Amino acid sequence: MTEIKQEQVINILKSIHHPNKGSDIVSLGIVQGLVIKDGEIGFALNINPVEAEIMEQIRKICNEKLSALAGVKKVTSVLTAERNAEKKIPEMSAPVKGAGPLKNTQKITGVKHIIAVASGKGGVGKSTTAVNLALALKHIGLKVGIFDVDIYGPSIPMLLGVTEKPVQSPDNKILPIIKYGIVSMSLGYLMKQDTATIWRGPMVMSAVKQMIADTKWDVEGELDVLVLDLPPGTGDVQLTLAQNVDMDGAIIVSTPQDIALLDARKGLDMFQKTDTNIYGIIENMSYFLCPSCGDRSDIFGHGGARDIAKKLNVDFLGEIPLHMDIRSASDNGTPIVVHNPDSPHSRIYVDIAKRIAKKL
Ligand code: ADP
């Protein structure tokens, strides 16, 4: 395989000039986070958001020129902007209150319905729930995709046991990975684990939007549902996604502990403020099922999420126990719904999937 030298890549990028600033994009510090690995080149162009349109042209030129270099299999580039500049982008403005969820949002080509799986904080099992729900939706006959929007800590590659990289289609789209009968895309597929730090500060939405647009979601036919595994919490990424992507509904995953429930309320609040339809709450790690004796104990004070759902007038979608099998199946890259579809745990995910499918 022809080795690609960093110097060659930089020289090519240096031949590309900023349209108004009279210098090249490397010298101006616009090129950031350059990664070259196994014939793949990845980098970000850190731009002023007001120049987004023209810099998108520049990004395409970079890709074309680098793709022509011997040994290059793929070029992945994104536009990013510094956090303080982020607020200036007109399309990121807050939606008009009461104007309905469709007001500022866009559909995703090749996808009929979009649901977001969110959580008020990390570690409540949001990704585990999202992936098992996606597989359960497939189990009940829907064509399903999952998009790992957790750009800071993408875990879908691990949960689905995916090690291969997506390839480009003849029409220059990225082909999602197909595993266990669902299509999936994750930033974790495109970048080395430790390069995720390049997204800190720079605008994440540009990367996410580009991945949404560049992925051929309907590679196996139009998707009935695309599940978005959102980053934990209620930060800018979640907010801007809720404002920009035409989500059919959001699902909040929470554990029964008070702190998690408090955060779950914040999550609900964020979706309500952006007029996003809320499908309901799932209580994960709801009760402990002893793997040896099958005894059940409510170690975290089971039922809190059901109470909150009732209080806030949203549906309670179901409760998933804390069980070793759920964890070990995920750790091994074969989620429980695939690993043991007839297990009681899998049936819980399937029941929740049925409830969600009715709402679509
Ligand atoms: P999050 O996406 O909220 O950060 P993860 O889905 O990564 O959380 O889950 C955190 C950890 O908890 C993982 O090790 C996962 O295997 C485990 N886990 C999630 N849900 C369950 C469950 N119901 N029973 C046992 N372990 C679980």
Side-chain angles (χ1 to χ4, degrees):
M1 195 173 72
T2 322
E3 197 202 339
I4 308 162
K5 295 213 171 67
Q6 172 141 343
E7 199 187 342
Q8 286 177 298
V9 173
I10 295 204
N11 280 341
I12 289 175
L13 292 171
K14 271 193 162 176
S15 72
I16 301 165
H17 279 240
H18 187 286
N20 311 318
K21 292 188 180 152
S23 187
D24 69 87
I25 56 173
V26 176
S27 309
L28 289 165
I30 293 171
V31 177
Q32 293 188 354
L34 179 63
V35 182
I36 304 166
K37 193 176 173 262
D38 301 336
E40 294 183 14
I41 302 174
F43 60 93
L45 295 178
N46 191 15
I47 63 155
N48 181 336
V50 295
E51 298 175 327
E53 227 162 276
I54 184 95
M55 291 311 286
E56 173 58 18
Q57 303 302 319
I58 299 285
R59 186 188 72 80
K60 286 191 176 141
I61 294 171
C62 294
N63 283 17
E64 271 164 32
K65 288 200 167 188
L66 291 173
S67 298
L69 190 63
V72 173
K73 284 195 273 183
K74 197 163 116 231
V75 182
T76 308
S77 59
V78 291
L79 297 183
T80 68
E82 290 301 336
R83 206 162 255 279
N84 57 8
E86 202 172 319
K87 306 233 165 15
K88 293 184 197 133
I89 302 179
E91 64 181 305
M92 301 271 169
S93 61
V96 183
K97 190 68 190 142
L102 299 179
K103 187 68 184 163
N104 288 334
T105 55
Q106 279 185 350
K107 290 218 169 284
I108 297 179
T109 312
V111 176
K112 281 190 209 153
H113 301 286
I114 303 165
I115 57 176
V117 178
S119 66
K121 70 193 259 299
V124 300
K126 169 189 52 63
S127 296
T128 306
T129 307
V131 96
N132 277 298
L133 271 185
L135 291 160
L137 286 162
K138 192 242 153 200
H139 185 86
I140 59 170
L142 299 178
K143 227 179 237 300
V144 181
I146 186 161
F147 180 26
D148 184 1
V149 196
D150 196 344
I151 205 151
Y152 299 110
S155 49
I156 295 300
M158 196 267 284
L159 289 171
L160 287 176
V162 171
T163 47
E164 67 263 40
K165 302 270 168 212
V167 293
Q168 218 159 340
S169 67
D171 56 352
N172 279 335
K173 291 254 179 180
I174 309 169
L175 292 174
I177 301 284
I178 304 168
K179 186 94 189 258
Y180 306 133
I182 62 171
V183 305
S184 63
M185 182 48 81
S186 166
L187 188 84
Y189 293 160
L190 303 175
M191 296 284 175
K192 278 196 301 182
Q193 283 277 311
D194 51 3
T195 56
T197 46
I198 69 163
W199 308 112
R200 216 181 289 138
M203 192 177 73
V204 172
M205 266 319 287
S206 154
V208 171
K209 274 188 181 170
Q210 214 163 315
M211 280 175 76
I212 289 176
D214 286 357
T215 301
K216 203 174 175 68
W217 296 106
D218 52 359
V219 60
E220 298 233 296
E222 191 177 21
L223 293 182
D224 293 310
V225 191
L226 180 65
V227 176
L228 305 183
D229 180 12
L230 296 192
T234 49
D236 289 355
V237 185
Q238 297 84 332
L239 190 65
T240 38
L241 268 168
Q243 289 170 332
N244 288 276
V245 176
D246 184 8
M247 296 175 190
D248 288 69
I251 295 159
I252 310 271
V253 180
S254 179
T255 59
Q257 289 106 315
D258 291 347
I259 303 268
L261 287 167
L262 213 65
D263 287 320
R265 280 181 101 125
K266 281 189 214 150
L268 281 171
D269 196 43
M270 179 189 77
F271 287 116
Q272 272 160 347
K273 282 207 172 107
T274 53
D275 284 325
T276 305
N277 192 16
I278 293 162
Y279 279 174
I281 302 184
I282 295 174
E283 187 166 278
N284 188 38
M285 311 193 200
S286 180
Y287 48 93
F288 176 68
L289 273 185
C290 172
S292 40
C293 64
D295 264 7
R296 169 181 165 148
S297 43
D298 296 343
I299 48 177
F300 298 138
H302 147 261
R306 189 190 287 272
D307 294 344
I308 292 247
K310 204 169 164 193
K311 257 187 221 138
L312 300 180
N313 209 15
V314 297
D315 282 358
F316 181 69
L317 295 169
E319 46 195 42
I320 301 159
L322 172 71
H323 197 281
M324 249 333 255
D325 288 353
I326 297 179
R327 189 193 154 95
S328 59
S330 299
D331 288 352
N332 293 327
T334 46
I336 187 107
V337 172
V338 176
H339 177 71
N340 190 355
D342 296 324
S343 70
H345 313 310
S346 298
R347 283 206 293 272
I348 295 176
Y349 287 114
V350 170
D351 285 346
I352 298 176
K354 284 182 186 160
R355 260 167 236 144
I356 293 166
K358 273 201 201 131
K359 292 172 181 277
L360 289 174

